[in-house]
Amino acid sequence: MKRSPREHLSAIGRIARWEVSRSAGIVDRRTAILGAFALLLVGAVLGGGLLAGGVALDRDIYRVGVDAESPYHEPVERSVALDAREPSPDALRDGDVDVLLVDGELFVADTPKGRAALSEFRSSVRAFNFERMSAEENGSAAFPVVTVLQYVPRSASLPDDAFAEGDGEGGSGTGDGGDSGGGSDGEAAGDDDGGSASAGSSGGPLGVPALSGINPLSSGGSGSPADIQPPFPFGSLVLAFAFLVPMNFVVQAYGSTMLNERINRRGELLLVAPVSPGDIVAGKTLPYLATMVGVTALIALGVGGSLVSIAAVLPIALLFLAATFAGAMFARSFKELTFVTVTVSVFLTAYTFVPAIFANVTPIALISPLTLVVRDLQPLESVSPGAFVFATAPFALCAGVLFLLGTGIYREEDLFTQRAVPLKLLDALDARVSRPRDVAVLSGLSIPFVFVAELLAIAVLFALPVSLTIPLLLFVVALVEEVAKSLHVYAAFESGTFRRVPRVALVLGALSGLGFFVGEKFTAVAQVVGLPELALGQAAFAPSGIGVFSAAGLLFAPLALHVVTAGLTALGAMRDLRWYAGAFAVSVLVHTAYNLAVVTYLG
Amino acid sequence: MGDSGKPPRQPPREGPDPRWTIARREFGSLRKEKTILLALALQLFIAAFSSFLVVGLVSLYDPGQVEGYEVDVAVTGDAAGDLIRASREVRGVDAQFYRSEETALRAFHEYDATGIDAVLVAETRDERVFVRAVAPDSNVQTTVVVVQLRDVVRSFERAERADRAAYLDDQPLELPPEASSSPYFAFTYTVLLPLLLFLPVFISGSVAVDSLTEEIDRGTLELLRVAPLSLTDVVDGKLLAAAGLAPVQAALWIGLLELNGTSVSNVPALLALVAAMALLICGVGAALALLAPERRAAQFLYSVGVLLVFGGTALLPNGPVTAAARLAIDSAGCADYAAVVALVVTAVVAYGGVRRLVNGLDADDL
């Protein structure tokens, strides 16, 4: 049954309209009343909470024994995390306080908590001093030091005039000073070097609120060293999180409607209609995608994000939907679906949000599209096209592959059967393999997932010392790549798609290795953002021939490796699960050894 | 539930409580689908990911955590001597005197040869010292360098202020000594632990909603009419299974944290808090599942409500989240124990409300 693209589009449109009208139908009066009640309750709780003093997870976690007469009583009272207690001499020994101040002497409990409390105490006294000095009349005595911070790019090739071209980047500004003589002075200091001392706080010209109440590192501008802010995009980060929150809710509804089709054979009618499974999936997904895009656009409008923000969030939205769709295809019950959606939500939220914290610090942050949003929201940052592709392409491709896999089992024999999630996954993989060359295609398609998994490994490991992490990382890389090259081969053998003879297994392994080798070349995008400059990035990507091999002869070394290891696992997969596991372990070892050799001798 | 076709059990004469039967069946289906493993794996992922990255974050912001890393600063200008003296108070900084700004900047640009990470130019003008700090742009070490520069200039400011003390009305307080403490300590108790304690509660509530809506959706609740069970028994059994899981998972996490060297205090109070929270949330979930006409509506109302209520109570000075943090870190006051008791009472009252609601419902109408 061949149909024109127009017929496809009209079918998709029809299903989308039907999905919308059906979803609107479930919002009856009872739901509306319950919803209104929930909102009212939430409003009351939020209002009460805000009146009580805002977010403070660390409220009163340390106790300081300090006399009410002591000058240190006020800083303790003002600090959120510190709780002032009676300074009885026995309190420290009994464990009732963590820091004790009696007669000008300071006693600290010899525990991690005591040290943490002391460190908190120190910073609260510092903040208190700063406020006290701000109230002083003699400005030059209260703030004898005026500081300007500049960020200067350091290029080894231009030592002489690098400084001249390097400013204008903006820094933590001196501001205008609340004190009497500071205003003009701050300006004078800025003039020295071409006015590079522009205000660098997050409350920039693009209307990003400074959120100074929450940011522990920011405060008003006075030119005091206390104002220096390490580059930490706190405000933008909070706003970027706002993009993620609505997605968690949309995917819940989406997962439900997808699983609904599978319960009591409800989706059967739709399946026998003259539309393809792809049309059904596209039609049912469209309203939810549209909702997400609409909400994203609204949020972008609200927080001052540009089109870049929306374009960067779109792949995240797609991946949320795709993963939920695949989950709904695999799950057996609503309970299982809930676990799957919660897993997907938490994983994606963590994966996108946590690296974005490092947006200004390291290129690793670019593994998350949310980093682009954070950079977009900051006044002085911009997003390069290479960085954009690097951050968004893996997400978009993963989403595409997941939709492809899920649509493959959108057919009667799979929709209405109950099988465990791993078996369903194998079914979905097998559904895409009918000829030997499909094995190569599927290996290539696994690249986005491999890429994401390896980036995740880099992100998790980069904090540890390099000598420890590189071997560990190389092992993880080998593990991930071997899974990607062999799982669908195993699925195909299990379902009896291919004959279980060694010759077939070797051919499939070679094809799988070849497909993977070709797909791997696309990871060259990692070079665009300078990830290979990091030791770990280099270790992860060097074995695939990126950035290190210049000789043409060596170009095919990775191909040989992939063909050999994929052949090994295919031979194991041909027999049964136990053989597969054994062969898999051997090929991971071979792969790790190869990776180590490459990194040691050529890296 | 795939096993709804099983023949109903024999009516227990003096056998176990039918509610236990339902609860056991719920556990069985969770175990069979292995979803509980997925949930635990998920929590493990959260704990690992956030811990790893926070350790990374800490090492970026607190160079004291990175052994052997030193920031080399080129200092120049007429106040350079005082600045270098002040820098000795800061750990991990090596300040070197340079004759002129030009040579200092050259050293900064020829980083590979000189190892200079930053430049400080201190000049005295109008009774003040103007310090210009130059840090490398977009470099992995930028944050560490800036934090160290700030500490140096702060220390310098304190010294300069002390010299001018005669002109001040109020003297600044002397700072308590520096402590080598990891900022990760507070994070463990205020973010990680509450997250690990309350995520199981949230998941349990979801399970309660799902297992009820699913029975309604598949029409299997009608089958229960032939069994010697009332609707109340069914809901009770499902609540027991769902709400019972959360404290068990919480206990598991507390045990793991202890193994990891994080001591958690007031464990019974924490478990009571989690159990009360679980009963409350599962009760609300069950009520929503019975009142809302469709799963999507029930799940949506549930998750919006619970997330926002969790968020909202985090704002309260004695909400469950902050109370849990203070209990675990052993800083609990009477107010925190009162919060636990209040929550237990609320949960029991809410549970009573759910029972009344269920008694008033007819299984046929669902």
Side-chain angles (χ1 to χ4, degrees):
Chain A
M1 183 174 59
K2 274 276 174 219
R3 290 176 304 134
S4 68
R6 228 179 108 195
E7 280 173 315
H8 274 289
L9 279 182
S10 84
I12 292 172
R14 216 164 43 236
I15 293 170
R17 273 199 306 280
W18 171 71
E19 174 71 27
V20 170
S21 66
R22 219 181 42 149
S23 301
I26 64 159
V27 184
D28 64 353
R29 197 186 295 167
R30 196 148 63 161
T31 319
I33 293 172
L34 281 173
F37 180 71
L39 281 181
L40 209 68
L41 190 71
V42 164
V45 171
L46 282 179
L50 284 178
L51 280 181
V55 188
L57 292 174
D58 59 349
R59 191 184 297 278
D60 294 346
I61 54 169
Y62 306 118
R63 298 150 307 170
V64 179
V66 57
D67 197 77
E69 303 297 311
S70 163
Y72 287 98
H73 189 259
E74 206 182 335
V76 173
E77 275 290 295
R78 283 194 193 183
S79 162
V80 173
L82 301 179
D83 188 23
R85 296 282 175 100
E86 271 305 304
S88 76
D90 297 333
L92 194 67
R93 208 182 50 226
D94 297 347
D96 286 335
V97 295
D98 310 304
V99 173
L100 181 64
L101 198 70
V102 200
D103 304 329
E105 270 197 87
L106 189 70
F107 302 95
V108 181
D110 188 24
T111 56
K113 189 186 174 194
R115 286 188 286 277
L118 179 61
S119 153
E120 185 68 38
F121 185 36
R122 183 178 159 95
S123 61
S124 72
V125 172
R126 188 186 288 132
F128 176 77
N129 277 344
F130 179 75
E131 266 182 48
R132 187 180 250 194
M133 289 301 110
S134 303
E136 281 287 330
E137 280 182 14
N138 187 334
S140 70
F143 292 106
V145 179
V146 178
T147 317
V148 189
L149 179 64
Q150 290 176 289
Y151 294 105
V152 176
R154 191 156 54 180
S155 56
S157 56
L158 300 167
D160 286 325
D161 44 63
F163 185 51
E165 71 180 53
D167 46 21
E169 277 285 316
S172 179
T174 56
D176 39 18
D179 45 341
S180 50
S184 55
D185 292 336
E187 214 177 278
D191 284 344
D192 276 354
D193 38 65
S196 68
S198 62
S201 69
S202 50
L206 285 190
V208 181
L211 294 169
S212 57
I214 307 175
N215 186 352
L217 298 168
S218 84
S219 55
S222 71
S224 163
D227 283 349
I228 292 183
Q229 287 182 36
F232 186 65
F234 194 87
S236 313
L237 206 54
V238 171
L239 295 178
F241 194 64
F243 284 101
L244 286 182
V245 174
M247 289 187 194
N248 291 294
F249 296 121
V250 177
V251 294
Q252 265 195 342
Y254 177 65
S256 291
T257 181
M258 279 306 181
L259 189 59
N260 240 332
E261 298 287 312
R262 299 182 48 209
I263 287 184
N264 292 355
R265 304 182 72 89
R266 274 178 208 144
E268 202 162 15
L269 283 177
L270 208 51
L271 272 182
V272 297
V275 286
S276 70
D279 293 346
I280 301 176
V281 174
K284 283 179 79 76
T285 308
L286 206 59
Y288 297 93
L289 184 62
T291 311
M292 280 187 173
V293 172
V295 172
T296 303
L298 277 181
I299 295 173
L301 210 65
V303 303
S306 67
L307 271 179
V308 175
S309 291
I310 303 177
V313 173
L314 189 65
I316 307 180
L318 273 174
L319 190 55
F320 259 98
L321 288 175
T324 311
F325 169 64
M329 288 298 108
F330 296 163
R332 273 166 293 186
S333 66
F334 277 129
K335 249 183 304 193
E336 202 163 61
L337 177 65
T338 298
F339 282 110
V340 173
T341 34
V342 170
T343 311
V344 166
S345 296
V346 169
F347 178 80
L348 284 179
T349 306
Y351 184 84
T352 51
F353 184 68
V354 179
I357 295 171
F358 302 90
N360 291 4
V361 182
T362 141
I364 291 175
L366 277 173
I367 68 171
S368 154
L370 216 54
T371 303
L372 302 175
V373 179
V374 172
R375 290 196 176 172
D376 182 49
L377 288 177
Q378 283 175 289
L380 295 168
E381 295 271 348
S382 65
V383 178
S384 72
F388 188 86
V389 171
F390 173 77
T392 54
F395 268 63
L397 290 172
C398 281
V401 174
L402 280 174
F403 269 122
L404 204 66
L405 286 181
T407 319
I409 53 167
Y410 203 92
R411 54 186 182 189
E412 196 180 348
E413 62 263 43
D414 286 305
L415 270 187
F416 310 121
T417 50
Q418 300 268 344
R419 270 158 81 80
V421 172
L423 294 178
K424 280 267 186 190
L425 175 65
L426 290 184
D427 279 352
L429 287 171
D430 175 57
R432 288 283 157 207
V433 181
S434 51
R435 293 154 302 181
R437 70 158 183 259
D438 295 335
V439 171
V441 172
L442 219 50
S443 284
L445 286 179
S446 72
I447 289 294
F449 294 96
V450 171
F451 198 54
V452 165
E454 289 177 3
L455 290 176
L456 182 70
I458 295 179
V460 169
L461 292 174
F462 91 108
L464 301 174
V466 169
S467 58
L468 180 73
T469 49
I470 286 190
L472 203 58
L473 183 77
L474 292 178
F475 174 71
V476 172
V477 166
L479 197 72
V480 169
E481 292 186 355
E482 289 310 315
V483 169
K485 281 186 295 187
S486 65
L487 198 60
H488 53 290
V489 178
Y490 174 68
F493 273 124
E494 278 299 287
S495 72
T497 310
F498 299 115
R499 279 199 310 139
R500 296 176 183 247
V501 287
R503 200 178 52 85
V504 174
L506 286 176
V507 169
L508 291 181
L511 281 171
S512 174
L514 178 70
F516 194 84
F517 172 75
V518 173
E520 206 174 42
K521 292 295 156 232
F522 290 102
T523 55
V525 71
Q527 276 183 314
V528 179
V529 293
L531 203 59
E533 284 167 26
L534 286 163
L536 273 186
Q538 201 173 9
F541 294 107
S544 58
I546 290 179
V548 281
F549 295 133
S550 45
L554 283 173
L555 194 68
F556 293 102
L559 177 63
L561 169 85
H562 289 317
V563 168
V564 167
T565 54
L568 260 174
T569 47
L571 279 176
M574 183 187 80
R575 302 284 287 267
D576 58 11
L577 186 60
R578 201 175 307 157
W579 276 90
Y580 172 51
F584 180 78
V586 172
S587 31
V588 169
L589 285 180
V590 171
H591 198 147
T592 310
Y594 166 84
N595 283 354
L596 271 172
V598 168
V599 170
T600 315
Y601 296 111
L602 298 166
Chain B
M1 262 137 292
D3 52 357
S4 51
K6 252 193 276 177
R9 282 167 190 281
Q10 286 297 310
R13 274 173 289 268
E14 273 127 49
D17 193 319
R19 285 174 286 191
W20 280 107
T21 318
I22 296 280
R24 262 215 314 279
R25 210 183 65 125
E26 285 292 304
F27 277 126
S29 91
L30 281 179
R31 212 187 53 232
K32 210 177 71 214
E33 293 179 351
K34 299 208 177 57
T35 35
I36 197 71
L37 290 180
L38 193 58
L40 285 174
L42 170 74
Q43 292 167 36
L44 198 66
F45 166 76
I46 295 174
F49 201 56
S50 52
S51 309
F52 267 121
L53 277 155
V54 168
V55 170
L57 196 65
V58 166
S59 66
L60 282 172
Y61 281 78
D62 188 356
Q65 303 289 321
V66 187
E67 286 303 316
Y69 182 71
E70 208 169 52
V71 176
D72 292 298
V73 186
V75 183
T76 181
D78 61 355
D82 291 340
L83 193 54
I84 289 174
R85 215 165 298 130
S87 76
R88 292 196 188 120
E89 278 184 32
V90 182
R91 268 184 307 156
V93 172
D94 183 18
Q96 292 155 25
F97 178 73
Y98 275 75
R99 221 163 267 291
S100 73
E101 192 178 325
E102 198 189 330
T103 52
L105 284 172
R106 191 177 296 277
F108 173 73
H109 285 291
E110 287 164 1
Y111 168 77
D112 291 334
T114 58
I116 291 297
D117 297 297
V119 177
L120 286 174
V121 184
E123 275 154 359
T124 315
R125 237 183 292 146
D126 310 336
E127 298 172 356
R128 290 188 192 217
V129 184
F130 288 86
V131 176
R132 197 143 44 80
V134 178
D137 182 34
S138 50
N139 174 324
V140 182
Q141 272 106 34
T142 300
T143 315
V144 174
V145 170
V146 172
V147 170
Q148 292 292 72
L149 288 181
R150 181 183 62 182
D151 288 352
V152 168
V153 186
R154 263 184 190 167
S155 157
F156 180 54
E157 185 188 42
R158 270 200 303 281
E160 290 292 309
R161 202 180 268 158
D163 292 345
R164 293 164 173 76
Y167 304 101
L168 290 174
D169 300 332
D170 274 325
Q171 294 305 317
L173 294 176
E174 197 191 327
L175 283 186
E178 208 172 333
S180 60
S181 155
S182 150
Y184 185 56
F185 182 80
F187 169 86
T188 310
Y189 289 98
T190 56
V191 179
L192 192 59
L193 186 89
L195 201 66
L196 291 177
L197 290 186
F198 293 123
L199 195 72
V201 173
F202 179 73
I203 293 178
S204 283
S206 263
V207 170
V209 175
D210 282 334
S211 79
L212 274 169
T213 45
E214 194 150 45
E215 300 267 0
I216 299 169
D217 227 29
R218 292 192 193 253
T220 42
L221 215 50
E222 278 185 25
L223 282 178
L224 291 170
R225 269 180 38 197
V226 287
L229 289 169
S230 68
L231 186 59
T232 322
D233 286 337
V234 175
V235 175
D236 265 355
K238 286 183 184 293
L239 276 184
L240 188 68
L245 271 177
V248 176
Q249 290 184 61
L252 190 70
W253 283 119
I254 292 175
L256 278 178
L257 282 175
E258 290 276 0
L259 275 183
N260 204 19
T262 306
S263 75
V264 180
S265 310
N266 294 313
V267 176
L270 282 176
L271 291 183
L273 182 71
V274 171
M277 212 57 189
L279 183 60
L280 181 65
I281 299 282
C282 292
V284 170
L288 279 174
L290 293 170
L291 289 176
E294 214 231 18
R295 182 202 177 242
R296 253 184 298 177
Q299 270 290 357
F300 182 73
L301 284 174
Y302 167 77
S303 50
V304 171
V306 168
L307 280 184
L308 291 179
V309 166
F310 262 119
T313 49
L315 297 174
L316 293 172
N318 279 306
V321 178
T322 41
R326 277 197 299 268
L327 283 168
I329 205 172
D330 196 18
S331 290
C334 298
D336 298 310
Y337 294 109
V340 174
V341 172
L343 204 63
V344 171
V345 172
T346 316
V348 171
V349 169
Y351 171 65
V354 173
R355 277 192 79 120
R356 279 196 60 168
L357 174 81
V358 175
N359 277 332
L361 283 176
D362 186 357
D364 293 345
D365 298 341
L366 293 171

